[in-house]
Amino acid sequence: MSERKQFRAIKGTRDILPPDSGLWNWFEKTARDTFESYNFREIRLPIFEETSLFARSVGGETDIVSKEMYTFEDRAFGLEKPKRIGDVGDFITKVREAANSGQIPNDPSNRAEIETVEQLWRRFVSNDFELGSEEAGGLSPADQIHLMSRSAGDVRLGADISLRPEATASTMRAYIEHGMHALPGNVKLYYMGPMFRRERPQKGRYRQFYQIGAEVLGQSDAPAIDAEVIEMLMVFFQRVGLTRTTLYINSIGDKNCRPAYVELLRTELQKVKEQLGADSQRRIDTNPLRVLDSKIPNEQEIIAKLPRIADHLCDACKENYAGLKRELALRGIAYEENWRLVRGLDYYTRTTFEVIAEGLGSQNAVCGGGRYDGLVELLGGQPTKGIGFAIGSDRSILSIQESGNVPALPGLDVFVAWMGMDTYPTAVKIARTLREAGFDVELPGEEMKFKKLLNLADRLGARYALIIGSDEVASGTFTLKRLADADQKKLNESDLLETLTNERRGTRA
Ligand code: HAM
């Protein structure tokens, strides 16, 4: 007897069910409308990319890349590990060809693996199965086979790929791949979709979560661009009712001034190393800036006394940061400066920002972003300036729900309550007509008793029941019953459409 296993969504992933999915659609549509009003256009990106794209851009030492990515080996078409000893010769020929044509990694380590399998194979076929012979390196045939299959298993048969932990890297890859630098003006793109990070799941933190991001790429780093991006973000949050928020901004300098500041920070951190926890101690070597991010209570007093980047910016960065603050003031955008806002991704320069929402507990950042001049170049493109952000949809929607600011979204307009098979053709026809006129209509597929029909209409939350009985069919009319107050009218088709349309204007104005 087969085991009756109950499948559940994997920890850190979840299903978004109606009516929440309606709220999500509205949230995403509002983002589209807002971003497009600022002349941003959508880019749709793949869910997985080469692992090295993320390592190079987000940074190999970051938590995201070093611990949290879902990484696996792809499989080039038509290649598989040898199942029997007789397949090994053929396997070697195929992987050699695949490496030469770039279908599988042709780096020194993969070439060495292929070489090892080939050497073992040559020995194996030439030593005539002589137990412990010289040629076989003193190995029994069973040991040789074991070794060969282990080495064949180590040959990588496809690219090393990862589910995207974020989408800025993919956007840069696409920008370069499609020569988008040649497009007129700044290239303004937005995206939305799932991202994947192997984090410890908790409220507001998932392993599959959703972002809505926007990026501006071009030749200018004018602070007006940064401010407009931030304005667009705050206008969006306003529109979706996410108003109990704080915008934090900072400048983390650029390649001219940051290295000296990082060294100064490292020196100062060395002096207090013993008082810091293990993570911060490790970061003194790997990335001292990240120590500023620490939330550990007894590190706070020490961090408060560390040198601040604002006092160590070069003149160009200082002017750029002052410009950003002027531009935000011009737009009436309230912000707070936070010198400790360094962000957990390596690609940032100058402006960084984050938006925090109330009522979310520890996972309260609903958006993070910043400038990343030089990232396109780092990935092999032309020197390009860039800035962008990503909104965490899960957390933002959670915050809207918790604040009680959920909008009344349109639901089921009409439930067609037909009675008797002779009324059914009329019901089918009017359902189609109403749907074409833009109404949400439920048409039962089976005959039901009147009481049951009205009861179901009520439970489905329909605003109206459209009653069709033999009388109505005979007189060419419909009975429209408003379920909220049981108000009832007999109408012909054109009056019915007019009544419903007027009512919709009233409720959706
Ligand atoms: P990030 O700060 O890593 O930045 O992520 C942005 C937002 O995604 C966070 O503020 C948070 O709301 C949400 N988020 C991140 N991880 C999770 C998770 N495990 N569960 C739920 N929500 C999460 C970036 O990803 C950059 N690419 C942003 C950017 C775009 N910078 C420049 N352009």
Side-chain angles (χ1 to χ4, degrees):
M1 210 171 70
S2 68
E3 189 193 348
R4 281 181 57 190
K5 180 178 158 87
Q6 179 134 47
F7 290 101
R8 291 182 165 274
I10 290 170
K11 206 159 184 257
T13 73
R14 64 209 178 110
D15 306 304
I16 296 160
L17 308 175
D20 284 0
S21 52
L23 190 63
W24 277 73
N25 286 339
W26 160 81
F27 184 81
E28 291 175 351
K29 182 176 183 311
T30 310
R32 286 179 195 284
D33 292 348
T34 309
F35 294 2
E36 292 189 6
S37 77
Y38 281 79
N39 197 27
F40 280 69
R41 295 293 174 253
E42 185 176 15
I43 181 165
R44 295 195 181 211
L45 299 157
I47 300 284
F48 52 84
E49 300 266 2
E50 272 185 59
T51 301
S52 54
L53 171 69
F54 301 116
R56 184 87 68 85
S57 35
V58 177
E61 292 294 327
T62 58
D63 285 353
I64 295 176
V65 170
S66 66
K67 301 189 207 154
E68 297 169 1
M69 283 208 298
Y70 286 91
T71 297
F72 50 98
E73 183 186 296
D74 204 0
R75 179 79 58 87
F77 193 71
L79 283 185
E80 53 181 280
K81 311 263 160 160
K83 289 200 183 67
R84 288 168 295 131
I85 193 70
D87 298 338
V88 175
D90 192 34
F91 171 76
I92 294 166
T93 315
K94 279 191 174 157
V95 290
R96 280 236 178 271
E97 271 170 26
N100 290 338
S101 64
Q103 277 177 282
I104 66 172
N106 196 16
D107 52 40
S109 83
N110 218 28
R111 280 204 301 270
E113 295 296 351
I114 300 170
E115 193 63 36
T116 309
V117 186
E118 193 163 1
Q119 276 175 13
L120 288 165
W121 172 245
R122 276 214 214 95
R123 270 193 219 159
F124 182 78
V125 291
S126 66
N127 77 31
D128 243 353
F129 301 98
E130 223 176 89
L131 203 74
S133 74
E134 281 278 307
E135 296 89 329
L139 291 176
S140 71
D143 284 346
Q144 289 179 60
I145 291 169
H146 176 68
L147 206 61
M148 207 151 44
S149 89
R150 224 178 52 194
S151 306
D154 287 343
V155 173
R156 280 173 289 141
L157 297 185
D160 199 7
I161 58 180
S162 294
L163 300 186
R164 61 182 188 190
E166 59 104 58
T168 307
S170 308
T171 309
M172 299 308 111
R173 196 256 320 125
Y175 177 85
I176 300 166
E177 186 172 336
H178 304 291
M180 293 172 87
H181 64 275
L183 295 172
N186 287 325
V187 176
K188 296 158 89 175
L189 301 167
Y190 75 88
Y191 50 80
M192 52 184 74
M195 310 289 158
F196 304 85
R197 298 183 192 176
R198 194 185 289 107
E199 293 196 83
R200 194 167 49 77
Q202 65 181 92
K203 181 182 170 190
R205 189 160 74 184
Y206 308 96
R207 291 183 160 192
Q208 174 173 337
F209 61 98
Y210 295 80
Q211 283 188 345
I212 302 179
E215 317 284 354
V216 182
L217 293 149
Q219 288 312 306
S220 167
D221 59 2
I225 299 175
D226 305 35
E228 193 182 70
V229 161
I230 294 173
E231 175 188 309
M232 178 172 90
L233 170 69
M234 298 315 284
V235 164
F236 168 67
F237 278 154
Q238 185 80 36
R239 282 198 195 171
V240 292
L242 197 64
T243 46
R244 293 185 309 156
T245 55
T246 310
L247 163 70
Y248 290 106
I249 64 164
N250 190 23
S251 171
I252 58 165
D254 65 6
K255 59 180 187 299
N256 297 317
C257 51
R258 194 171 39 203
Y261 170 71
V262 170
E263 270 324 300
L264 175 68
L265 198 58
R266 187 173 274 136
T267 310
E268 292 305 309
L269 284 168
Q270 284 295 355
K271 294 180 191 164
V272 291
K273 186 172 178 179
E274 296 314 314
Q275 299 163 54
L276 298 171
D279 273 348
S280 293
Q281 289 198 0
R282 189 170 39 79
R283 286 180 172 145
I284 298 178
D285 296 321
T286 57
N287 190 350
L289 278 181
R290 287 305 308 282
V291 177
L292 304 181
D293 247 2
S294 159
K295 306 241 160 34
I296 296 174
N298 55 13
E299 293 185 348
Q300 303 308 309
E301 209 177 307
I302 303 163
I303 293 170
K305 293 190 199 121
L306 291 169
R308 302 182 173 208
I309 182 119
D311 302 326
H312 300 271
L313 293 177
C314 60
D315 288 346
C317 285
K318 232 182 251 168
E319 175 45 35
N320 193 274
Y321 189 39
L324 169 67
K325 289 185 271 185
R326 277 197 305 274
E327 286 282 347
L328 288 175
L330 176 71
R331 291 168 164 77
I333 296 168
Y335 60 86
E336 279 181 33
E337 290 182 74
N338 177 1
W339 70 278
R340 289 176 53 178
L341 183 65
V342 292
R343 314 265 303 119
L345 302 91
D346 281 358
Y347 47 62
Y348 292 112
T349 56
R350 293 191 168 170
T351 307
T352 55
F353 58 96
E354 236 168 58
V355 178
I356 302 298
E358 275 177 36
L360 285 176
S362 66
Q363 303 304 313
N364 60 356
V366 287
C367 177
R371 187 160 271 294
Y372 45 79
D373 304 340
L375 179 56
V376 169
E377 217 175 336
L378 183 74
L379 295 174
Q382 318 244 346
T384 306
K385 308 280 202 304
I387 180 159
F389 63 75
I391 295 162
S393 302
D394 310 75
R395 289 177 195 179
S396 303
I397 290 171
L398 205 61
S399 178
I400 295 169
Q401 285 172 322
E402 295 206 346
S403 69
N405 264 356
V406 179
L409 295 171
L412 178 59
D413 295 306
V414 178
F415 181 95
V416 182
W418 57 275
M419 285 165 298
M421 284 317 290
D422 56 326
T423 69
Y424 183 59
T426 309
V428 170
K429 196 160 159 277
I430 193 68
R432 168 92 65 98
T433 306
L434 292 176
R435 285 167 176 157
E436 277 169 8
F439 297 102
D440 297 355
V441 176
E442 175 68 13
L443 171 70
E446 281 170 314
E447 200 174 357
M448 277 188 245
K449 294 244 159 28
F450 185 60
K451 216 169 148 192
K452 214 167 160 196
L453 282 167
L454 282 202
N455 190 280
L456 183 56
D458 210 34
R459 286 187 13 232
L460 290 177
R463 274 210 304 288
Y464 287 100
L466 187 67
I467 300 162
I468 314 176
S470 308
D471 284 359
E472 279 84 1
V473 173
S475 63
T477 57
F478 302 92
T479 300
L480 185 68
K481 177 173 179 151
R482 190 160 57 205
L483 293 173
D485 58 5
D487 177 57
Q488 204 161 300
K489 284 190 191 101
K490 242 187 176 144
L491 304 162
N492 63 24
E493 187 175 317
S494 75
D495 290 344
L496 170 69
L497 279 164
E498 197 184 317
T499 305
L500 288 172
T501 307
N502 288 342
E503 186 263 1
R504 179 168 57 189
R505 273 201 207 105
T507 57
R508 298 188 191 175

